[in-house]
Amino acid sequence: MNDRSHQSMLMRVSEVAQELRLARSFVYELIQSGQLPAVRIGRSVRVPRAELEAWVRERAEMNARYP
């Protein structure tokens, strides 16, 4: 069975914050500044799971290169 079968493609900001162990307000700041990709659907803000995973990988690679 696919690991993603039980995961939503789009995550709520609260879910992103919980996953990253960051404050929800900080996640909103990342989105507002354009650092973290997000999708707006009406008044709702969602973060595509694939974009979040890529965003984390990019930061991990940057940290590995510049400790």
Side-chain angles (χ1 to χ4, degrees):
M1 185 154 102
N2 187 347
D3 286 342
R4 293 179 187 246
S5 62
H6 69 285
Q7 297 176 341
S8 174
M9 285 177 48
L10 298 174
M11 299 175 67
R12 294 183 179 112
V13 171
S14 60
E15 294 170 327
V16 173
Q18 185 177 19
E19 188 90 9
L20 298 177
R21 292 185 170 91
L22 296 172
R24 201 175 60 152
S25 59
F26 186 66
V27 174
Y28 275 114
E29 287 178 28
L30 291 171
I31 292 168
Q32 184 68 27
S33 69
Q35 295 179 61
L36 181 62
V39 174
R40 285 180 171 71
I41 303 170
R43 294 180 60 159
S44 299
V45 177
R46 298 292 186 264
V47 176
R49 182 173 292 279
E51 294 283 347
L52 177 63
E53 291 171 355
W55 185 83
V56 170
R57 271 193 308 276
E58 288 170 9
R59 268 117 202 100
E61 289 172 5
M62 286 182 352
N63 287 341
R65 279 185 250 147
Y66 306 104

